[in-house]
Amino acid sequence: MTILKHKIFLLFLIFPILLTAAESSAATSQTVKPKLILQITVDQLRGDMPEKYMENMGEGGFRYLKKQGIWYANAHYGHANTETVVGHTSLATGADPSVHGMVANVWFDRDTGKLAYNIEDPRYHILSSGADVDKSTEIDASQALAGTDGRSPANIMVTTFSDELAMRSQGKAKIIGVSVKDRGAVTLAGHAGKAFWFSKSAGEFITSSYYYDKYPDWVMAWNKTGKPRAYGNKAWELLKDKDTYKYGNTDSESGEMDMAGFGRTFPHQYGDATGKYFTNYLTFSPAGDELTLDFARAAIVGEQLGQDEITDYLAISFSSTDYVGHLFGASSLEAEDNMLRLDRTLAKLFAYIDKHIGLENTLIVLSADHGGPETPAHLQSFGIEAGFVIPHEWDKEPSIARLKQHFGIGKELIKSFFPPYLYLDHGVIKDKGLDLAEVEQAVANELMSIKGVALAVSSTALRNNKLPDSFLNRAALRNYNRKRSGDIMVLFDPQYTINDFMGEKLAATHGSPWRYDTYVPVIFAGGKIKGQRINRRVEPIDIATTLAAFMNTRPPSGSTGNVLLEVVNQ
Ligand SMILES: [Zn+2]
């Protein structure tokens, strides 16, 4: 009896020990959660750019990601309109624009009869006075179209990964989005997080009343430092000797832009801090990213990110690469120096995270909202046909004029063309007793005959899904949202872009379904991740799905991405 009792007692002792061992072994492979998820988006970072310029990069930035990270080298977006808010929202939600609803930077709102800026929300004003977009100096063409200073994530129709993280932690996870661009911060912060972006008119990082009633102390303190003004009377100069650069001998190529007097060659002078375009110049150069980094560091300390057992989330979107690409092209001395500077900015960020949180406690993911094209001049120098499609007054095109005559329409039929969508005047069509689908199809057919147009597809055709399963039709369908998309989507031939910017020509414009615009890096690093390169085709929408699987949250409500097994099976 005594012996048996003893044995039973021993079993009781041993069983809990065995269970604990089993639980902890599962924990090391699956459930050790990072203290921080750091989601970095580099605006217009085409998939080949980091390695193209890596030779001259230092340690700790892209080289760290390459050595220590899982580098997906063949990631492409599947939607047609590769613009900033579309890509950022896809990264945040794991969904296509057809589902998340952010189908373009700007769309035509049939209820108000006006163009709508993606994250505009007149209910939630900016907290600072005098920080609204200054239309006389704003160089961000889509932001300049906003009718009010209000901003919120309300137009995003589904949940983001960060929303799911917030709900999973009963609101305890701290969620912050930071960017020079409002749409770069608001999208990733989701509905439940806090977003901060840079006001060019105020020279400060700002937010709206959606997020706060008043600024947190650390934001007030950062804005008082006057760090942006410290760039006054300085210049963007080359980081290294000019003769060490790939493009050292080609600083002033055909097609490069002298935007608002920032110049086409180094050094690019910022001028006096009170200058009309001073804060714009900061965003056209690596200074914009340096300021974003500095503000993000203040957020890490101010919000005590990654300091307890609840996983926090910090999204940083670096905007400078986008402006540099638009002004000078992806193969320019400016782009090359910007990449070296971005590499230094990333190295400083990773070193800061390592010191305050530990890279072993952090899951890093880096991607881009879209890629970008080469300039037509650069492509032509290699014998590749390329050019700009001059924005047409489509309504006055001879073929459209004939069509209007055929339908007996004497008024303007095309109400608005804001790429990639064309909007017809439904009132005119109704008054004439015409069938919308028939007019849409007829206009689309005529547009297809115009030089430079690769596809004009009507929304009715997309909705009825009676189109051939072609690459372009699929991309158009993945972009099509019944509430937001226009009547006809117009896509241009490869290497051809619409390129009118307030009457001036940019060096290059993204937004196409072609591979230079859909191609982005997808890189995971930190924690227990070991370096490997994956050439399998993946999509940036896989990121949010993978983060959800990694953190064991619900998948975001519209997510259709796949789980990247290399990341979750460590
Ligand atoms: Zn962008």
Side-chain angles (χ1 to χ4, degrees), residues 36 54 84 386 439 478:
L36 179 72
M54 197 169 277
T84 296
V439 179
R478 290 181 69 170

Side-chain angles (χ1 to χ4, degrees), residues 229-540:
R229 285 195 300 281
Y231 286 88
N233 296 315
K234 290 184 179 163
W236 173 17
E237 294 183 50
L238 290 174
L239 185 68
K240 294 175 175 257
D241 287 342
K242 201 173 179 182
D243 55 14
T244 65
Y245 285 74
K246 284 181 199 301
Y247 296 105
N249 294 325
T250 52
D251 192 6
S252 183
E253 288 296 273
S254 156
E256 289 192 20
M257 231 196 145
D258 176 15
M259 174 71 95
F262 196 47
R264 290 158 52 113
T265 54
F266 281 93
H268 293 275
Q269 301 290 347
Y270 296 125
D272 191 87
T274 59
K276 190 176 174 190
Y277 290 102
F278 172 70
T279 49
N280 273 289
Y281 294 163
L282 298 182
T283 67
F284 301 167
S285 76
D289 287 350
E290 288 160 16
L291 290 167
T292 306
L293 165 69
D294 204 81
F295 186 78
R297 283 196 290 219
I300 290 168
V301 175
E303 296 291 333
Q304 296 190 302
L305 299 182
Q307 298 306 313
D308 57 28
E309 296 312 308
I310 296 158
T311 304
D312 296 325
Y313 173 88
L314 173 64
I316 308 176
S317 176
F318 291 112
S319 309
S320 298
T321 304
D322 182 63
Y323 292 115
V324 170
H326 281 304
L327 267 53
F328 307 104
S331 296
S332 61
L333 186 56
E334 283 82 0
E336 185 172 10
D337 192 70
N338 174 64
M339 287 303 293
L340 302 185
R341 301 265 183 185
L342 171 67
D343 178 58
R344 292 302 80 212
T345 294
L346 291 177
K348 282 179 198 157
L349 173 62
F350 297 154
Y352 192 82
I353 299 264
D354 199 25
K355 192 174 163 202
H356 290 266
I357 300 162
L359 287 175
E360 71 280 11
N361 299 317
T362 305
L363 177 66
I364 300 169
V365 55
L366 182 145
S367 190
D369 55 343
H370 49 77
E374 297 292 337
T375 65
H378 182 81
L379 292 162
Q380 285 157 3
S381 75
F382 287 88
I384 299 159
E385 193 189 328
F388 297 124
V389 181
I390 306 302
H392 282 82
E393 289 201 44
W394 300 105
D395 202 68
K396 296 194 179 89
E397 274 286 318
S399 57
I400 303 292
R402 275 196 303 277
L403 191 73
K404 281 167 63 178
Q405 215 169 20
H406 167 76
F407 284 120
I409 295 170
K411 295 179 187 165
E412 200 171 60
L413 171 63
I414 296 173
K415 205 173 174 69
S416 168
F417 175 58
F418 206 91
Y421 289 114
L422 184 143
Y423 300 81
L424 300 174
D425 191 325
H426 290 188
V428 167
I429 294 165
K430 209 173 166 191
D431 288 350
K432 281 274 162 196
L434 298 165
D435 177 46
L436 175 63
E438 198 186 323
V439 179
E440 266 182 10
Q441 193 53 53
V443 173
N445 289 347
E446 292 305 330
L447 291 172
M448 290 279 272
S449 68
I450 293 171
K451 187 176 159 28
V453 175
L455 177 76
V457 62
S458 78
S459 284
T460 306
L462 288 170
R463 201 159 45 240
N464 295 338
N465 200 16
K466 285 184 178 158
L467 295 160
D469 183 22
S470 71
F471 161 63
L472 287 183
N473 283 337
R474 269 202 304 278
L477 193 61
R478 290 181 69 170
N479 214 94
Y480 172 69
N481 181 280
R482 190 175 58 82
K483 295 195 174 103
R484 304 262 173 84
S485 294
D487 297 304
I488 298 164
M489 180 177 235
V490 185
L491 302 175
F492 298 104
D493 286 336
Q495 287 86 240
Y496 276 82
T497 52
I498 276 217
N499 204 26
D500 180 65
F501 176 80
M502 298 176 178
E504 290 189 86
K505 274 194 178 139
L506 290 170
T509 309
H510 54 84
S512 82
W514 303 111
R515 284 310 176 223
Y516 42 85
D517 281 347
T518 60
Y519 183 29
V520 294
V522 169
I523 307 163
F524 284 83
K528 292 189 184 325
I529 288 174
K530 289 188 182 64
Q532 59 178 313
R533 184 185 181 83
I534 309 282
N535 289 309
R536 185 181 76 248
R537 172 71 175 275
V538 301
E539 295 199 10

Side-chain angles (χ1 to χ4, degrees), residues 167-185:
M167 287 188 271
R168 176 76 192 209
S169 66
Q170 292 84 45
K172 287 180 192 144
K174 291 167 207 142
I175 290 157
I176 305 278
V178 177
S179 178
V180 155
K181 291 186 186 179
D182 51 9
R183 57 192 182 276

